Amino acid sequence: MKPTDFSVHVTSFLTHYLAAQRNVSPNTIKAYRDVFTLLLRFCRDVQEIAPERLRLEQIDVSLVEAFLDYLERERKSSPRTRNHRLAALHAFFRYVQAEEPARMHQCQKILAIPQRRHARPTVAYLSKEELAEILAQPDLRTPDGQRDAVLLSVLYDVGARVQELVDLSVGDVRLDPPAQLRLLGKGRKMRAVPLMGNTVQLLRIQPPRSSRTVRQVSFPERAPSTTDAFGNPLHPSQICRPGTKQASESEPNSKSAHPETYQGNAPVAERNLARHDP
């Protein structure tokens, strides 16, 4: 069977344009890939168009709008998630209009679909007492407790996103003065964030559960610094678990301690660090 124009452009968009030309992160490519997976399933199950027969001309503004409505109605996607899916389709059709000038009008009608406005939730933060209770929960006598203590302390210190913490390598950690972490954020933007003394001490004393565990000033190799019991890199969901677990154990009825809650505490940590610096 001859490949369709849609399949050719999607393959080129994901494997060549995003990775080679735009040099976007693997996580962004995965997110875009997931959008096309959902779109293909929608076309197959709702529009009754087999993926191998889907052509570019069939993906018009009415189909994209129906797809977005399907996400909200059937998959219960939030407006924020809907907007993320739409942003991925916008990126694709910006690419297509340059590759297929004859379809510029079709592409631009899709690009004109607006993002949905929605209320942005207020990011909560923990009081000094609540934070102290959570940080005191990990059992430092066990390897898992030591790891959780380090993760919670780093989240509080630097206000890192979960993916930034998962992507940390031992070469990104400096424990000699001035102690700091080097984080790779969205858009591949690198930033150096200072560490407070207590967190540095935890990083120094954490015993190695594998050769890839952070315990020295820095290692030359690019190896994950956050690992599980088997030495495998942690998944973001495993980073989320310690904070919510420790919060529920310290106070069953307390506010949720999702990693974004620690991001809300980051400005407090920065003020505390400045206050104690000579």
Side-chain angles (χ1 to χ4, degrees):
M1 175 181 287
K2 182 179 179 180
T4 63
D5 55 355
F6 177 69
S7 69
V8 171
H9 284 306
V10 168
T11 301
S12 178
F13 177 70
L14 293 175
T15 62
H16 178 67
Y17 176 72
L18 292 178
Q21 294 189 26
R22 295 296 303 276
N23 193 31
V24 302
S25 71
N27 293 321
T28 300
I29 295 175
K30 289 178 183 177
Y32 282 21
R33 179 203 62 194
D34 291 344
V35 173
F36 287 107
T37 299
L38 292 171
L39 179 62
L40 289 171
R41 290 175 181 172
F42 166 76
C43 291
R44 180 195 64 194
D45 299 338
V46 179
Q47 301 292 323
E48 297 183 348
I49 305 174
E52 65 271 16
R53 299 186 181 280
L54 184 61
R55 302 186 309 277
L56 198 57
E57 66 182 20
Q58 295 173 288
I59 309 177
D60 55 13
V61 66
S62 60
L63 186 142
V64 173
E65 289 177 339
F67 170 63
L68 296 174
D69 290 340
Y70 162 81
L71 293 178
E72 291 188 292
R73 185 180 63 256
E74 301 296 332
R75 295 184 60 86
K76 309 301 180 184
S77 296
S78 67
R80 182 178 179 181
T81 300
R82 173 209 184 262
N83 288 342
H84 287 168
R85 309 301 191 203
L86 178 58
L89 293 176
H90 278 174
F92 174 68
F93 282 99
R94 285 193 190 94
Y95 161 78
V96 169
Q97 71 177 352
E99 299 292 319
E100 297 276 355
R103 299 200 177 277
M104 284 188 67
H105 184 58
Q106 173 189 350
C107 294
Q108 290 176 6
K109 289 175 71 175
I110 294 173
L111 292 173
I113 300 175
Q115 297 276 320
R116 176 154 297 175
R117 293 182 178 273
H118 60 91
R120 296 182 180 274
T122 302
V123 177
Y125 65 93
L126 300 169
S127 69
K128 183 177 180 180
E129 292 74 19
E130 290 171 331
L131 187 63
E133 288 184 10
I134 293 175
L135 293 177
Q137 290 302 310
D139 186 355
L140 297 180
R141 296 170 298 181
T142 67
D144 284 345
Q146 292 163 357
R147 183 199 63 194
D148 290 351
V150 169
L151 292 177
L152 294 173
S153 296
V154 171
L155 283 172
Y156 168 66
D157 262 14
V158 304
R161 295 170 56 246
V162 173
Q163 190 62 53
E164 292 173 344
L165 197 59
V166 170
D167 290 341
L168 268 180
S169 298
V170 289
D172 297 323
V173 183
R174 176 188 173 91
L175 301 185
D176 278 347
Q180 60 184 21
L181 289 184
R182 188 173 58 212
L183 299 174
L184 183 63
K186 289 185 177 180
R188 293 186 176 272
K189 294 179 180 178
M190 187 75 71
R191 68 185 191 277
V193 186
L195 290 171
M196 291 195 292
N198 290 340
T199 304
V200 172
Q201 185 177 6
L202 283 172
L203 287 167
R204 286 189 184 279
I205 67 174
Q206 185 186 12
R209 62 174 64 204
S210 75
S211 61
R212 298 183 292 183
T213 306
V214 174
R215 73 188 297 254
Q216 296 181 4
V217 175
S218 65
F219 292 154
E221 65 268 25
R222 297 288 300 174
S225 62
T226 50
T227 59
D228 60 17
F230 302 100
N232 300 315
L234 289 179
H235 187 271
S237 62
Q238 294 172 283
I239 299 288
C240 295
R241 201 172 299 137
T244 53
K245 174 186 176 183
Q246 307 301 347
S248 62
E249 289 179 353
S250 65
E251 185 61 52
N253 297 320
S254 65
K255 67 186 72 170
S256 172
H258 188 271
E260 285 187 355
T261 309
Y262 295 91
Q263 290 179 341
N265 277 83
V268 179
E270 291 174 3
R271 288 197 299 270
N272 290 338
L273 182 63
R275 188 178 302 127
H276 289 89
D277 277 348

